[in-house]
Amino acid sequence: MSPARLTVLSCTFLVLNLLAFMTVAAVLPTLIAEWGMSNSRAGWLGGVFFAGYLVAVPVLVPLTDRIPPKRICLISTVLGAVVSLGFALLSSGFWSGMILRFLAGVAMAGAYMPALKVLADSLEEPWRSRASSYYTSVFGIGTAISIFAGGGLADLYGWRYAFAAAGIGNVISLVIGYLWLPTGKSDPNVRRGLLVDFRPVFRNRAAMGYILAYAGHLWEGFTNRIWMVAFLTWYVLQQPGSPMVTTPVVVATLVALCGVPVSMFAGEIAARRNRKKVLYSIYAAALIMGLLLASTPLTGMPPSLVAAIAIVYGMALYADTGTVTAGTVTSADPALRGATMAVHAMLGFVGATLGPATAGIVLDFAGGRDDPVAWGSAWLVGVSGGVFAAFALRVFGRPYRAKG
């Protein structure tokens, strides 16, 4: 199989697995009303998916170093289908939703990074870096489709149909993965225990700079994506005489989608120039746009202008996705690539879990969903993740220097 064809198939497998990824964000205002949730509970419902991902990654991704990663991908895709259909049929409130979304995160942990390892194991440089960048950039297409399809189906038929459609997407991805994904490389003699020694990964400072930057990136990115529909829905209601040109779901879809070509472009530039300088430029742009979005609840500007700011901000904060992940992949010890990718995903999704939840807590404590200052404060929670990403890349990514 040609590198280009393998990259396209891997990206398609990922997009279909991602259909359930942002469905909660797309229907969050409805679930808040129907289940009587506080902002804090809504934030946890949005973030618990990433907690499931976080718990499963240290086990599932390192397993790809010693058992075929394709096997893990397929089993996890089956779990994703069962959980999405279960959410559609069985969820009845906050706690049932939390359990099922946690399991959905576990399923995603076994599909996302293991499939990336299949891709990386099957290619040589420069295709390995290029394909890794494209694969992680296409993540945004999957999340955009998840928001758009979830919100559209919920508007037409109800939110349960949105989750049912996501489960069908898992089934289709299972067929693609079974028929066309390579097996990937594994060595059963690497280690037979369940747990993996991650200490060599943490000692790799070059990789850790990118890993910690990824954590800050996901803190900011998923604070934005989980809360965007709810924020825009509120904002439009505050400006009855100035309607937005489109719906909050469409804006949130564009926020996710427009960052994809920017991320791919940034990945290509970073492959030819200094990767870290490209990332610092991206973080500076995201900081400016994030602060601008945080100020909008206090300005009373037209909703369509707020939507435009949100879209540009989404482009900026997603632009580093492929570049920072490619940095981790290329900095990893080849013998520990699976373990390194596990730490990358694990710490990254600590940020993805805590960012939306923290924003929800701040939203409650600062005055609630009807308070402009509270919304501005919640967005500043997200912006802090991008600041940390730049700091981590600058400080933790530096190699040790011998004294004397």
Side-chain angles (χ1 to χ4, degrees):
M1 188 183 300
S2 69
R5 185 184 178 198
L6 176 58
T7 302
V8 170
L9 285 170
S10 299
C11 291
T12 303
F13 175 83
L14 174 63
V15 167
L16 289 168
N17 266 293
L18 284 167
L19 285 179
F21 196 87
M22 295 300 295
T23 309
V24 163
V27 301
L28 191 58
T30 300
L31 293 180
I32 289 172
E34 187 169 320
W35 291 354
M37 292 187 293
S38 65
N39 297 309
S40 299
R41 283 198 164 193
W44 281 115
L45 182 64
V48 73
F49 177 98
F50 310 114
Y53 190 103
L54 169 64
V55 169
V57 155
V59 177
L60 296 180
V61 178
L63 281 175
T64 62
D65 285 330
R66 55 188 186 273
I67 66 174
K70 177 177 179 177
R71 187 183 305 170
I72 295 173
C73 290
L74 297 183
I75 293 172
S76 299
T77 301
V78 171
L79 175 61
V82 171
V83 170
S84 290
L85 294 172
F87 201 104
L89 297 172
L90 303 175
S91 60
S92 58
F94 174 72
W95 288 111
S96 61
M98 286 281 286
I99 293 169
L100 289 166
R101 288 298 288 173
F102 179 89
L103 292 175
V106 172
M108 195 66 219
Y112 178 38
M113 283 293 169
L116 176 57
K117 186 172 186 296
V118 169
L119 189 62
D121 286 345
S122 304
L123 300 173
E124 301 294 336
E125 295 293 351
W127 259 106
R128 179 183 292 130
S129 293
R130 179 174 288 123
S132 297
S133 180
Y134 276 104
Y135 178 88
T136 50
S137 296
V138 165
F139 192 98
I141 294 177
T143 57
I145 293 173
S146 176
I147 295 170
F148 185 75
L153 288 170
D155 288 342
L156 290 173
Y157 306 110
W159 61 264
R160 294 186 185 274
Y161 283 86
F163 286 95
I168 294 172
N170 285 120
V171 173
I172 299 172
S173 68
L174 177 66
V175 174
I176 291 174
Y178 179 79
L179 293 178
W180 291 300
L181 281 187
T183 302
K185 297 178 182 178
S186 59
D187 182 356
N189 297 317
V190 170
R191 184 181 174 94
R192 295 189 179 277
L194 179 62
L195 299 179
V196 173
D197 184 1
F198 289 112
R199 288 175 295 179
V201 177
F202 287 107
R203 288 195 291 266
N204 183 345
R205 287 178 63 88
M208 285 305 301
Y210 291 108
I211 289 170
L212 291 171
Y214 186 64
H217 157 79
L218 289 191
W219 172 293
E220 183 175 21
F222 285 107
T223 298
N224 179 279
R225 293 186 184 183
I226 291 297
W227 285 106
M228 182 56 68
V229 173
F231 167 68
L232 291 175
T233 300
W234 167 81
Y235 195 89
V236 169
L237 292 175
Q238 308 310 303
Q239 307 286 337
S242 180
M244 195 161 57
V245 294
T246 187
T247 67
V249 167
V250 171
V251 174
T253 301
L254 292 174
V255 167
L257 190 59
C258 289
V260 175
V262 178
S263 179
M264 292 179 177
F265 177 76
E268 290 292 331
I269 296 297
R272 293 171 170 78
R273 300 181 182 180
N274 186 295
R275 181 181 283 119
K276 288 187 177 180
K277 288 184 178 180
V278 172
L279 288 171
Y280 292 141
S281 299
I282 292 169
Y283 294 139
L287 175 61
I288 292 170
M289 296 309 302
L291 292 175
L292 184 58
L293 182 66
S295 71
T296 57
L298 302 174
T299 62
M301 64 177 60
S304 293
L305 181 56
V306 174
I309 292 171
I311 291 169
V312 176
Y313 179 39
M315 294 169 64
L317 63 84
Y318 194 74
D320 70 323
T321 302
T323 302
V324 76
T325 302
T328 299
V329 171
T330 56
S331 300
D333 180 341
L336 295 170
R337 186 173 287 124
T340 303
M341 290 164 63
V343 174
H344 178 84
M346 183 170 54
L347 294 187
F349 279 82
V350 168
T353 302
L354 297 180
T358 304
I361 293 170
V362 168
L363 194 57
D364 272 337
F365 276 91
R369 287 193 301 276
D370 295 325
D371 192 314
V373 173
W375 276 114
S377 301
W379 287 132
L380 289 177
V381 168
V383 169
S384 67
V387 174
F388 174 80
F391 175 81
L393 191 63
R394 179 71 176 174
V395 175
F396 294 99
R398 288 179 176 176
Y400 286 113
R401 293 182 179 179
K403 295 181 179 180

